[in-house]
Amino acid sequence: MGHSHHPHTHPHDHDHDHHAGPSDVPPALDLSVPDSELSPADVSRRGLLRGAGLLGAGVAAGSVLAQPSPAHAHGDGGQREAKGGFHWLAGDHHIHTQYSSDAMYRVVDQARHARANGLDWMVVTDHGSVAHAKIGVEKVNPDIRAAREQLKDLLIYQGLEWNIPAAEHATVFVAPGRNEVAVLKEFENAYDGSVVGAGDPTPANEALAIAGIRFLGEAVRKRRIDGALFLANHPARRGIDSPHEVRGWRDADPSVAIGMEGAPGHQAAGLPRATAGRARGYYDNNPSAASFPGYPLESYRTWGGFDWMTATVGGLWDSLLAEGKPWWISANSDSHVNYLDTAQRGPGGDFNTDGRYPDPVYGPLLTEAGDYWPGQYSRTHVGAGSFSYRAVMDGLRAGRVWVDHGGLISGLDVRARVAGDRRRDSGTPLGGVLRVKRGTSVELTIDVDLAGTPNWSQFVPVLARVDVIAGLVTGPVADRDTFTAPTAKVVKSFEVGKGTGRVSFTYALGRVDEPCYLRVRGTDGNRSAPGLMGAGVDPSGPAMDVIGAADPWLDLWFYGNPIWVLPS
Amino acid sequence: MIHLGLDLGHESERAAEHWLYDLVQQLGRPAGAVACTHLTHRPVPHVAASLAVPRGAVAAELLAALPPVAPELREAAEHAAAAHAAGRGGRATVFPGVERLTGTLPVAELLDVSAIERVTVIGGAPAGPDTLVDTRDHVRPQWRDGVLTLVTTPAPGGRIAPFEVPNPTPCCADHV
């Protein structure tokens, strides 16, 4: 990346011999540099590249294997304090309001709680529906703009929860701007599976989903909006997101379709309660006729609060990473109605006519609700170049993302480095690609800021273990319904011996001869079981959550997104 | 046993199993009858069905009066019958002893009073004969490897419960 254009940066040097050096990546390509800091010429160039779908981690050819390294964007200190060179901004991309047929809160109710719970950004994702497309998508916008004015230190995006034709739901959101409503409305009216009656798993409907993602990319290329992102929500919940559909969405436009929920929302739903218990994340479905027949029953439940696609070492997520395909994970609240809140829907009104429910009023304690407020339990941490709408979207697109439950840790800096290089801002961060000469010794450094303050259940979580997971990059799969990665496994586990401050670990890869990727996860160690691919692959993975007996605060995990190491 | 493939193109298992239940009633609830649902993509995603009845248990004219299978669903119906006959597939909604499987009972009793031959656990340790099964009054074993198998998961209180819950959360549930 080109630090030379950053007049304020510290004059550190990079190891040009061993990986793509700073001067190799022009500033326009470096997503850690906010647009506001680019020259007008570079802004224009970035626009062109973005317009051509050539911006973002591994985007150019749909794989980290086939392009120089725009993904190799590591941070610079900038003029503000920022950990590891980035401003780590916590957020939630999946939040419902009174404009969803199954929710109740005002935008500002969600926003105020999000901010109070420590979030820097959030996305309003009311359900796509006939009433929403006709009324809600427009009516919610003034509420969002008012909340932006009221809470200046919270970035509030407008999006929607898309009924993906032939599949599950997805977060779709856009950068704020004068066309934010117009683009979302056009998208919803043309491509929402519920609005256009395209829910069945037919090839035509699958194609419509692809077209919808391409529409969003086009809207960016035509400069109607500055950015649009897609994340598949609760992807394994009903078994209807087949592996080839996931690949299809990603490949349709990797600058838009960037990933999936690693963990679903509704994390309070599995708490023991007086009535028959529900499942954590409301993951209590069975295969249906619409399901992908290859998925095992295990995929219909959460594992340590995470979706099976993410929780299974050597499973679907790893199969995409082994292809060299950037595909990121997130965590979110899916907040509709929150556990132990004291509100209820206001009386009167008609959702279908009004496109919304009346404002909530004071009500009884919600002991049966299954959701947490935004930021109360689940957080998605994005390494952004600045506090701005565009920088958060760029950070998400680049995969500089880690997620946690229950405030298990307070900071995570993972970098792939040439062995021995410990300079503060060297190395390739989460989501990046480290390119080295074949035979170069490489290390993964993991710096964890332990939880220093209580979480929102008023205790300080204790991290027990950090696992490093690695797999070989074996290139494209012949069968696009592949959902296993035979080389992925836990290669190292670090026990954490202290309760506060920072812990640092180094995993030595040795001399690297084959392309590979690494990712990390950590746990409080309360619940573990051998992974679904066997104890040899994952000896102490997350255990399956028990319906009606899953206290999410007693089973905490964090996950980091991958880093690729490519020798040549 | 006679294995019959049936298929009315039901969209959901729930609809298919209600229909099957009524059908078995109309046939006089023959002893030993096993009715199964089958998820199929032939030719489009839907739920087919199969019915096994002991030879001679049901009058030939009653069997002949079963609803005809539409030509486009015949392949799915035949596949369902074959899978059931071979014990390779099918989710049993009517089977001997199903009416005894209510409340909570030990694995040994469940195996003793019903046609279920095996109980497996996913996400937990294998069950023993004394392990309590919380049936939730909804038990749907499956044909696997020629064995009518109930797949369970750990449940609160050290119990196990059928994997399939009776009232799964709809995709846009009102979570209040």
Side-chain angles (χ1 to χ4, degrees):
Chain A
M1 63 175 279
H3 284 156
S4 57
H5 64 279
H6 261 226
H8 56 264
T9 11
H10 37 263
H12 59 258
D13 207 356
H14 288 254
D15 196 338
H16 295 245
D17 291 334
H18 296 294
H19 53 85
S23 60
D24 294 347
V25 181
L29 278 176
D30 184 350
L31 293 175
S32 71
V33 180
D35 287 21
S36 57
E37 293 184 39
L38 293 177
S39 69
D42 277 332
V43 169
S44 168
R45 175 158 186 239
R46 180 175 282 183
L48 283 171
L49 291 165
R50 187 175 273 142
L54 295 177
L55 205 53
V59 158
S63 166
V64 298
L65 297 174
Q67 38 112 39
S69 51
H72 179 91
H74 48 197
D76 51 76
Q79 68 276 51
R80 302 195 310 196
E81 189 184 346
K83 273 182 193 164
F86 300 108
H87 302 279
W88 286 97
L89 303 178
D92 183 334
H93 68 77
H94 187 174
I95 297 165
H96 294 269
T97 74
Q98 65 197 135
Y99 296 90
S100 284
S101 63
D102 54 358
M104 63 190 255
Y105 300 110
R106 299 173 193 85
V107 171
V108 76
D109 295 330
Q110 295 285 30
R112 287 172 63 226
H113 280 87
R115 192 68 199 107
N117 286 331
L119 296 190
D120 303 290
W121 59 273
M122 61 170 268
V123 186
V124 173
T125 52
D126 294 315
H127 285 291
S129 70
V130 171
H132 186 261
K134 204 160 96 182
I135 308 165
V137 68
E138 277 180 24
K139 267 184 143 175
V140 73
N141 186 261
D143 295 6
I144 289 174
R145 285 188 286 132
R148 285 172 185 157
E149 284 302 308
Q150 190 177 333
L151 297 159
K152 299 257 192 210
D153 52 358
L154 178 69
L155 304 168
I156 309 173
Y157 297 87
Q158 183 167 350
L160 67 101
E161 184 158 20
W162 183 29
N163 296 292
I164 310 173
E168 262 287 0
H169 303 168
T171 288
V172 163
F173 70 104
V174 300
R178 59 191 169 88
N179 292 321
E180 64 186 326
V181 173
V183 168
L184 287 171
K185 186 163 186 170
E186 197 177 324
F187 171 78
E188 187 174 350
N189 275 304
Y191 301 105
D192 186 89
S194 173
V195 173
V196 303
D200 292 341
T202 64
N205 290 343
E206 290 186 4
L208 186 66
I210 302 284
I213 289 166
R214 290 198 173 129
F215 166 88
L216 294 168
E218 277 296 302
V220 178
R221 276 184 281 285
K222 289 175 181 160
R223 314 199 73 160
R224 296 181 68 198
I225 43 174
D226 278 341
L229 294 176
F230 160 104
L231 289 138
N233 293 344
H234 36 71
R237 181 180 61 161
R238 294 192 294 142
I240 62 173
D241 288 1
S242 60
H244 74 264
E245 286 174 282
V246 174
R247 287 185 167 89
W249 304 330
R250 203 211 76 92
D251 293 349
D253 191 333
S255 73
V256 172
I258 58 166
M260 61 185 177
E261 289 182 350
H266 309 310
Q267 290 279 330
L271 281 164
R273 52 193 75 204
T275 57
R278 310 293 324 192
R280 196 168 174 182
Y282 289 124
Y283 271 44
D284 60 5
N285 272 265
N286 320 301
S288 73
S291 302
F292 173 67
Y295 286 145
L297 287 178
E298 283 86 347
S299 72
Y300 292 81
R301 297 290 181 269
T302 53
W303 298 75
F306 276 68
D307 183 282
W308 165 87
M309 290 187 187
T310 292
T312 306
V313 174
L316 190 143
W317 188 29
D318 284 314
S319 78
L320 284 159
L321 304 182
E323 283 193 275
K325 295 191 176 194
W327 186 249
W328 318 127
I329 62 157
S330 64
N332 64 91
S333 66
D334 202 351
S335 167
H336 289 74
V337 178
N338 298 323
Y339 181 64
L340 299 187
D341 183 37
T342 51
Q344 62 183 342
R345 271 183 204 142
D350 179 88
F351 184 85
N352 288 324
T353 307
D354 306 337
R356 53 168 262 174
Y357 289 111
D359 288 345
V361 296
Y362 182 70
L365 189 67
L366 296 173
T367 56
E368 292 295 319
D371 309 344
Y372 288 117
W373 291 103
Q376 187 181 358
Y377 182 74
S378 304
R379 296 180 298 171
T380 296
H381 306 261
V382 180
S386 66
F387 180 80
S388 72
Y389 286 96
R390 205 175 291 190
V392 169
M393 293 184 97
D394 286 347
L396 283 165
R397 201 180 283 110
R400 280 194 305 269
V401 172
W402 60 275
V403 305
D404 81 284
H405 276 165
L408 175 59
I409 57 173
S410 67
L412 179 67
D413 188 12
V414 182
R415 285 162 195 259
R417 302 169 185 268
V418 171
D421 181 359
R422 287 293 184 281
R423 285 165 301 166
R424 183 176 167 274
D425 286 312
S426 63
T428 299
L430 296 175
V433 179
L434 173 64
R435 290 168 194 279
V436 293
K437 282 185 183 147
R438 193 175 301 276
T440 304
S441 287
V442 171
E443 294 173 339
L444 191 76
T445 58
I446 305 161
D447 296 307
V448 184
D449 294 320
L450 299 169
T453 51
N455 59 23
W456 296 112
S457 267
Q458 286 66 246
F459 70 92
V460 182
V462 177
L463 179 68
R465 200 182 76 239
V466 174
D467 298 323
V468 180
I469 294 151
L472 293 177
V473 176
T474 47
V477 292
D479 176 0
R480 286 172 66 83
D481 274 324
T482 301
F483 59 86
T484 57
T487 69
K489 62 184 290 193
V490 175
V491 293
K492 181 74 182 175
S493 291
F494 297 104
E495 302 295 325
V496 179
K498 59 187 270 194
T500 54
R502 169 175 278 207
V503 289
S504 297
F505 305 105
T506 300
Y507 171 68
L509 283 73
R511 294 185 181 278
V512 174
D513 291 319
E514 294 181 278
C516 63
Y517 69 90
L518 300 112
R519 60 185 182 89
V520 298
R521 77 174 180 207
T523 174
D524 62 4
N526 285 339
R527 291 189 84 238
S528 288
L532 291 171
M533 301 297 176
V537 170
D538 186 5
S540 300
M544 196 177 84
D545 294 307
V546 175
I547 291 179
D551 185 334
W553 300 95
L554 298 178
D555 184 21
L556 303 177
W557 295 76
F558 78 78
Y559 284 72
N561 273 284
I563 302 172
W564 283 270
V565 179
L566 305 182
S568 59
Chain B
M1 295 287 270
I2 308 167
H3 290 86
L4 301 161
L6 306 167
D7 198 332
L8 256 59
H10 287 104
E11 284 187 12
S12 72
E13 286 182 320
R14 182 169 291 238
E17 69 178 46
H18 280 159
W19 172 69
L20 274 174
Y21 180 81
D22 290 344
L23 190 70
V24 171
Q25 299 296 318
Q26 287 163 25
L27 294 176
R29 301 181 62 187
V34 179
C36 291
T37 59
H38 300 254
L39 304 177
T40 178
H41 281 214
R42 305 164 189 238
V44 295
H46 72 281
V47 182
S50 63
L51 175 64
V53 289
R55 203 169 285 280
V58 179
E61 55 268 30
L62 274 179
L63 290 180
L66 289 174
V69 177
E72 69 273 15
L73 300 177
R74 254 175 223 156
E75 189 198 345
E78 285 165 12
H79 189 260
H84 186 160
R88 273 188 285 107
R91 164 184 166 278
T93 182
V94 174
F95 53 93
V98 63
E99 68 284 348
R100 306 272 300 275
L101 304 181
T102 59
T104 298
L105 71 174
V107 166
E109 186 182 339
L110 177 141
L111 295 173
D112 189 44
V113 302
S114 77
I116 296 170
E117 300 162 272
R118 178 170 65 190
V119 174
T120 64
V121 184
I122 61 175
D130 299 329
T131 305
L132 292 175
V133 185
D134 178 0
T135 65
R136 304 192 194 105
D137 301 346
H138 182 83
V139 180
R140 300 289 183 271
Q142 303 175 26
W143 285 109
R144 291 189 168 186
D145 312 318
V147 177
L148 193 59
T149 304
L150 180 66
V151 180
T152 68
T153 63
R159 299 176 179 188
I160 57 175
F163 177 87
E164 182 177 327
V165 303
N167 53 343
T169 307
C171 73
C172 282
D174 212 342
H175 301 125
V176 179

